Amino acid sequence: MTADPIPPIARPGTFLSPAEPAMSRPQRRAGLVAVLILVVAGLITLRGFLPALGWAAIFAIALRPVYDRLAARWPSRDRDLIPALLVAATLLVFVLPLLVVAAPIIADAHELGLWADQIQQHGLPVPAFLASLPFGAELVPVWQQKLGHPQALSGLAHAVVHANGAGFGRRLAGQAVHRLVLVGFMLVSLYFTLRDIRNIEETLRIASNRAFGAAGEHVGIQLIRAVQGTVNGLVFVGLGEGVVMGVAYAFAGVPHPALFGLLTAILATIPFGAAVAIAAAGLALFAIGRMGTAIVIVALGAVVVFVADHFVRPVLIQGATRLPFVWVLLGILGGVEAWGLIGLVIGPAIMAGLILLWREWVGSQQGPINPRLIPPAGPDTP
């Protein structure tokens, strides 16, 4: 008895049959249970890599317009050179800046432990600029009483020293290696996704049509637009805020202006997150005695964040999703709380899909749920 040959792999839709497979009701139920078991088993198997796969899908969706333009120029390179170039650009623009910010934080973890140990032994000395502040003569004795002796911060310092011990260093190193592995896997997945992007797109279109009809493809297109609009609104606006504030930091004399600018760009991808970096830059200026310049930087940063979050970002995101800004904001914040950092993109996409279904359900937008327009009743309508 010879085994049947393995059928070939062809383009999606090649072997679809218009007739339903001949299966009894118990067979359908058993097949559905088997499929659910396989899906759950697959998710459990890939659970550690799901964030990397999710980010690869997000970057592939966001880079699809660039891929199409490059593929139109070099059609013979759409499966090798173009995906490699886009992966390299992703590495340079998105991944390396995160490593630049994370590296000094990891390197300074040991220094933080030594600093906390010094505070535990000698207390926190009075900063030189405190006496020059208004009411400085009254603030200095309070600082010395509350923070200047060893017992004042012993509990906090002990916790910091304990956290920065050998166990903390090993955990931090292990987490850093794990994140690097996930980033590498994300870049590899992005390459293969871009290489087969047209095939993957056709596969998903056929699958959604078979499962949900025309409505599935319609909602899927809206979700893709939401992802592209959210990435544009978050990433590019965040980079713009980082560049503007980085120049301002350099002119103001902020220590390490490039690092602060990069931190501002990264935090600006989260609504109101840039305010944290701007406040840190202001505190750095305040610590070296440049209080007036610190106030100017904080005020300028407030204006930049206000304009970016209330004018530029809503136009980019709403233009793609047609969502009111309040739903964009709720989708971003709720997505981060529910899904972590990847929720920055997933949250608005989910909101876009829900709002689209609601608008079609109530008849305010035409689509597969209400494909026919019903004319309003007039005075002569029977």
Side-chain angles (χ1 to χ4, degrees):
M1 181 177 179
T2 59
D4 295 334
I6 300 176
I9 304 297
R11 291 177 57 85
T14 302
F15 301 109
L16 288 181
S17 173
E20 291 292 332
M23 297 177 65
S24 63
R25 181 172 296 180
Q27 288 175 330
R28 289 179 181 274
R29 292 176 179 173
L32 180 60
V33 171
V35 169
L36 290 177
I37 291 175
L38 282 175
V39 170
V40 172
L43 292 176
I44 293 175
T45 303
L46 297 175
R47 66 186 182 276
F49 296 94
L50 288 178
L53 291 173
W55 280 114
I58 289 171
F59 279 115
I61 292 172
L63 294 172
R64 178 61 192 274
V66 181
Y67 173 88
D68 288 338
R69 287 194 290 268
L70 294 177
R73 182 182 294 267
W74 300 302
S76 62
R77 296 295 186 180
D78 60 344
R79 288 180 57 83
D80 45 33
L81 180 60
I82 294 176
L85 289 176
L86 292 178
V87 170
T90 302
L91 177 65
L92 292 176
V93 176
F94 298 102
V95 178
L96 289 184
L98 292 175
L99 296 178
V100 170
V101 173
I105 294 176
I106 296 174
D108 289 342
H110 179 68
E111 298 297 329
L112 178 62
L114 296 179
W115 177 73
D117 185 52
Q118 184 180 2
I119 291 176
Q120 187 179 14
Q121 296 178 7
H122 306 289
L124 192 62
V126 179
F129 66 86
L130 189 63
S132 61
L133 295 178
F135 306 102
E138 291 80 7
L139 293 175
V140 169
V142 175
W143 182 288
Q144 291 174 338
Q145 179 183 0
K146 300 294 185 181
L147 305 174
H149 57 89
Q151 291 77 19
L153 295 175
S154 58
L156 177 60
H158 176 73
V160 174
V161 171
H162 181 71
N164 284 276
F168 175 78
R170 286 193 298 267
R171 291 194 301 272
L172 187 61
Q175 288 294 323
V177 172
H178 179 66
R179 295 295 185 271
L180 286 176
V181 170
L182 289 181
V183 169
F185 186 79
M186 184 272 291
L187 294 174
V188 172
S189 301
L190 177 61
Y191 172 80
F192 286 104
T193 302
L194 290 172
R195 195 188 69 168
D196 299 321
I197 187 68
R198 294 189 178 93
N199 190 52
I200 294 173
E201 186 180 67
E202 182 66 11
T203 301
L204 294 176
R205 186 189 66 80
I206 294 175
S208 65
N209 277 328
R210 294 194 69 184
F212 308 108
E217 182 179 357
H218 186 60
V219 174
I221 292 174
Q222 178 71 358
L223 295 180
I224 290 175
R225 291 173 179 171
V227 170
Q228 291 174 342
T230 303
V231 171
N232 292 337
L234 294 178
V235 175
F236 293 118
V237 174
L239 291 176
E241 291 183 50
V243 170
V244 172
M245 293 309 302
V247 174
Y249 296 153
F251 278 103
V254 176
H256 309 291
L259 183 60
F260 270 103
L262 184 58
L263 183 63
T264 303
I266 294 173
L267 292 180
T269 57
I270 305 173
F272 315 113
V276 177
I278 294 169
L283 288 175
L285 289 172
F286 184 74
I288 60 177
R290 306 184 63 175
M291 183 172 61
T293 309
I295 295 174
V296 172
I297 282 293
V298 172
L300 176 63
V303 173
V304 171
V305 171
F306 180 83
V307 172
D309 287 348
H310 291 81
F311 295 99
V312 181
R313 182 168 286 160
V315 170
L316 291 176
I317 299 179
Q318 288 177 265
T321 63
R322 302 179 66 182
L323 278 178
F325 180 67
V326 63
W327 288 108
V328 174
L329 183 61
L330 291 174
I332 292 172
L333 298 179
V336 171
E337 182 178 2
W339 305 97
L341 188 59
I342 198 173
L344 284 170
V345 182
I346 292 180
I350 293 174
M351 291 297 103
L354 291 174
I355 294 297
L356 172 66
L357 293 175
W358 174 254
R359 286 170 176 167
E360 292 189 18
W361 181 259
V362 301
S364 63
Q365 183 174 339
Q366 188 178 8
I369 296 180
N370 53 357
R372 291 188 303 171
L373 292 177
I374 301 176
D380 298 331
T381 302

